[in-house]
Amino acid sequence: MLSRKGLIPEDYLLTRLAENVLQPKFFKAKSGKARFVAKNGTCNVAHTNIREQGRFLQDVFTTLVDLKWLHTLIIFTMSFLCSWLLFGMIWWLIAFAHGDLDQSGDGFVPCVTDIHSFSSAFLFSIEVQVTIGFGGRMVTEECVSAIIVLIVQNIVGLLINAIMLGCIFMKTAQANRRAETLIFSKHAVISVRNNKLCFMIRIGDLRKSMIISATVRLQVVRRSTTTEGEVVPLDQIDIHMDNPVGTNGVFLVSPLIICHVIDKDSPLYELSAFELQHEDIEVIAVLEGVVETTGITTQARTSYVSEEILWGQRFVPTVSEEDGMYAVDYSKFGNTMKVPTPFCSAKKLDEVGGIARFKLNEGVTLRATVRRRRRSVVVRRSRNETE
């Protein structure tokens, strides 16, 4: 995920071998299909024809935080400028109504000293709101209205400071910034693990600060039709995972392989290697947890379409023991290697007796071919001896 920002090279973060993996000849690339979740985790959904736009204004703070930085900075600047101009106009009107702009006698006491034009009223408004206080202008006790406006402007200035500074802080401390260092393998793999056909991905964390209570969820998004004939264009199906720690929680200190056993309850149960490449299916991976340093919940997402699921591959090890400590080689994070894997579906394997029966048949076939070769060699040697 970092590679999209240009922070880490593509070949370092993800895989070099997996990008050029040779699949069987009957695998053909499909035409591009819209993804539900992009590889960088953004949701590919456009919300249109929203009639009740006023609902966004009911939660102004969240709306400000969700805006782009340019729009936020423009609002930040305009909120102060508008408030200074507004109260500058009010101070000028107070001075104009009291006659401070024309009177200059020795016995005359103005509402605000040294206000002779709108420019001086605008400067006084800035001094009041940001509490600069140069000393040249000040409010006197002559006008009660001036004292009330002074109190109101201070309160309004504090509210603007609190809202805008809080908005800027929340934008800089957003949880998706921490998700930039939570990485996923570029490809998912399907291979045999512990005598079971499994779907696997690899996740990792580049920072030393941990993700507390990290959990991983996998969902399959596909087009489905109910028994009543209703078409569900984006049917989200949760799939069970066989994680290294036994539950959905993970201890993400080093890269982990998240495994899903393809059994009868799996949406991948009836898909063979050939059918998978022609199936409009997308597997979404979601990693959630609490940032150790800030206590903010973060979430990282990615997805794998059928072309990004490599059948008959497994991930190469990345952790090794060096000088009494474990070292992680992230250059191998997405690398895969070929392993013997049946190309039939998990359902077909269960019908023929499971993966153990498949290996047994494979071994019988292998021994038979070896025997034929030995017999041919013996026959050739006997013919040579007779000649």
Side-chain angles (χ1 to χ4, degrees), residues 13-15 39 183-189 200-204 302-304 315 333-335:
L13 176 64
L14 299 174
T15 175
K39 293 297 288 184
I183 57 177
F184 299 84
S185 58
K186 186 174 183 179
H187 296 91
V189 297
M200 290 172 284
I201 64 172
R202 176 176 274 169
I203 62 175
T302 191
S303 68
Y304 303 92
F315 294 107
F333 182 80
N335 289 1

Side-chain angles (χ1 to χ4, degrees), residues 236-283:
Q236 302 180 25
I237 306 172
D238 289 326
I239 58 179
H240 175 72
M241 289 166 297
D242 185 15
N243 284 344
V245 295
T247 61
N248 286 350
V250 294
F251 188 53
L252 196 58
V253 178
S254 61
L256 294 177
I257 295 177
I258 305 301
C259 177
H260 161 63
V261 178
I262 304 178
D263 53 13
K264 61 181 180 179
D265 297 326
S266 172
L268 308 176
Y269 184 61
E270 299 180 356
L271 296 179
S272 63
F274 177 78
E275 294 171 342
L276 177 64
Q277 297 301 313
H278 295 79
E279 183 77 11
D280 288 335
I281 193 172
E282 182 176 353
V283 180

Side-chain angles (χ1 to χ4, degrees), residues 94-167:
I94 291 175
F96 177 78
H98 191 258
D100 298 349
L101 303 179
D102 300 326
Q103 299 293 335
S104 60
D106 295 336
F108 180 76
V109 179
C111 294
V112 182
T113 59
D114 292 337
I115 288 185
H116 307 290
S117 63
F118 178 77
S119 298
S120 58
F122 178 71
L123 290 176
F124 179 71
S125 174
I126 297 176
E127 293 176 13
V128 170
Q129 189 160 330
V130 299
T131 63
I132 296 177
F134 291 115
R137 301 176 182 87
M138 64 179 181
V139 178
T140 64
E141 59 184 12
E142 180 69 19
C143 301
V144 178
S145 60
I147 299 175
I148 295 175
V149 172
L150 177 67
I151 296 173
V152 172
Q153 186 173 4
N154 276 280
I155 296 174
V156 172
L158 290 175
L159 289 175
I160 294 176
N161 287 335
I163 294 174
M164 298 312 301
L165 293 179
C167 176

Side-chain angles (χ1 to χ4, degrees), residues 302-320:
T302 191
S303 68
Y304 303 92
V305 294
S306 56
E307 293 87 353
E308 297 168 346
I309 302 175
L310 306 178
W311 196 290
Q313 305 280 333
R314 74 178 179 191
F315 294 107
V316 300
T318 59
V319 181
S320 60

Side-chain angles (χ1 to χ4, degrees), residues 341-361:
T341 306
F343 289 102
C344 60
S345 64
K347 180 179 180 181
K348 187 69 175 180
L349 284 177
D350 291 343
E351 291 176 354
V352 300
I355 194 68
R357 185 63 179 272
F358 169 80
K359 289 184 177 180
L360 180 62
N361 295 335

